[in-house]
Amino acid sequence: METFTYYPGCTLRTKAKDLDTYARVSAEALGIKLEEPADWQCCGGAYTTAKDEIATKLSAVRVLNSAKEAETPLITVCSACHNVIKQTEYDISRDEEMASKVNNYLGLSEPYTGGTKVYHYLEMLRDVVGFDKLKEKVVNPFTGRKIAAYYGCLLLRPAKALAMDDPENPTIIEDFIRAIGGTPVIYAQRNECCGGYITMEDKAQAQKRSGAVMGSAKDMGAEMVITACPLCLYNLKKNSGSDLPVYYFTELLAEALGLKEASNE
Amino acid sequence: MNKNLKEQVLRSGGVNVLKCMRCGKCSGTCPSYGEMEYHPHQFVYMVEKGDIETLMKSESIYKCLTCFACVDRCPRGVEPAKVVEAVRLAAVRQQGNNHLEPSEIPALLDEDLPQQAIVTAMRKYAK
Ligand code: SF4
Ligand code: SF4
Ligand code: SF4
Ligand code: SF4
């Protein structure tokens, strides 16, 4: 059984419990042990790219360091957490000035200068479990169901830091859909932004963006859309005006593995 | 032109605006193009010229979604979103210039809004 340090993030503890619950039961069934560190803090939701920002990067460094101390890789599920942590890891491994300021503040027993391997849950399915192995464990396949993968922005970009997949022609979620027996639907807006946090500032813009995403998926014949991001889910459900259902990928995973009922008891 | 401000924004952004060839691809791909008074390629150009106060006063700095599309699609690796971020920070770091105050948040909530939206907005709009 492979062990990962698991960073759920603040939203998975509150509004996105489904994303978390189904991720945990499915990991267990796939032989993956998720260990949550005792003292993680919210990563802040967005990576501050500015060179002169240090405080906003500390919580991500702390969890990277927790995984280092536990001698395990780090795993995330929320796209936004994943993005913040991956960009932090990318910069602290390369930017000596940032690393030295961060370490000067944190005063860890041993400075953190990068090195923790960070997986998104989807990468764990692809690279550790393997989509072929996952397929063998499926008991409720989504046969004949047309499923649209919504990547949004944060899973893929900036590609040099995220390094998950080809940012313009990604396949990881489509391969996941095939592994659980479904038929992936490719549509133009799958890697364009849903509007994100702008829903707090400018509802009309969030409605325009998320409406474009859902319209594009529907035009290509999708029956449902899946995502890894709580904010994508919110925008696509509440701001798009579309009647197409939207689910977390972990919910489909748990259902395919026959774990969905058990985890709702 | 305020030379110190230009230096501060360039240092904070950490990118080389001189690499820009003004192709406009960043603005063409920007999902907020229609909402912005100044578009990503203009941020790059105006920062290069040192015309930063104009940008700091524009609502455009609050319209960037940090989707990183311009970062990955710029053929010259200029990373315009980092320039936008640096200008926005220069603005919200000014005393009393938060774009969103914690006291305004309750009115913006609904039962389904994820925490992620709130913490991200606070990170973008306030210091
Ligand atoms: S990205 Fe989100 S959900 Fe994730 S911890 Fe950070 S703010 Fe909270
Ligand atoms: S698609 Fe939307 S919520 Fe999701 S990552 Fe982009 S802005 Fe964020
Ligand atoms: S895409 Fe790059 S090179 Fe082209 S205008 Fe934008 S910043 Fe300049
Ligand atoms: S990161 Fe900001 S400026 Fe760049 S394309 Fe996205 S919304 Fe536009």
Side-chain angles (χ1 to χ4, degrees), chain A residues 10-11 14-15 42-53 56-57 78 80 83-84 87 153-154 156-160 167-168 191-193 195-203 205 208-209 229-231 234 238, chain B residues 8 11-14 29 31-35 59 62-69 71-73 79 81-82 85-86 88-89 93 99-100 105 108-121 123-125 127:
Chain A
C10 64
T11 304
T14 47
K15 299 291 177 193
C42 173
C43 68
Y47 184 66
T48 318
T49 55
K51 295 275 181 200
D52 52 351
E53 281 278 326
T56 47
K57 293 164 185 166
C78 163
N83 189 282
V84 172
Q87 292 210 65
C153 11
L154 299 181
L156 299 169
R157 294 189 290 261
K160 66 179 187 192
E168 300 303 340
N191 62 341
E192 303 298 340
C193 188
Y197 68 97
I198 209 80
T199 184
M200 308 250 321
E201 159 89 1
D202 184 348
K203 270 270 178 247
Q205 190 181 358
K208 188 167 99 182
R209 281 310 317 145
C229 176
L231 187 50
Y234 173 86
K238 294 209 64 165
Chain B
Q8 180 198 319
R11 221 178 312 121
S12 172
T29 200
S32 282
Y33 183 87
E35 283 75 18
E59 285 288 306
Y62 308 114
K63 298 294 181 184
C64 167
L65 305 164
T66 323
C67 74
F68 299 111
V71 169
D72 272 9
R73 292 171 187 162
E79 308 189 310
K82 296 187 177 179
E85 175 100 344
R88 182 179 50 224
L89 278 170
R93 280 172 181 166
H99 185 63
L100 179 70
I105 289 178
L108 300 170
L109 300 182
D110 67 59
E111 59 192 312
D112 297 319
L113 188 77
Q115 278 65 19
Q116 180 191 352
I118 305 160
V119 294
T120 306
R123 186 163 273 190
K124 294 288 164 192
Y125 295 151
K127 266 291 151 197

Side-chain angles (χ1 to χ4, degrees), chain B residues 74-88:
Chain B
C74 165
R76 300 280 297 153
V78 175
E79 308 189 310
K82 296 187 177 179
V83 180
V84 179
E85 175 100 344
V87 176
R88 182 179 50 224

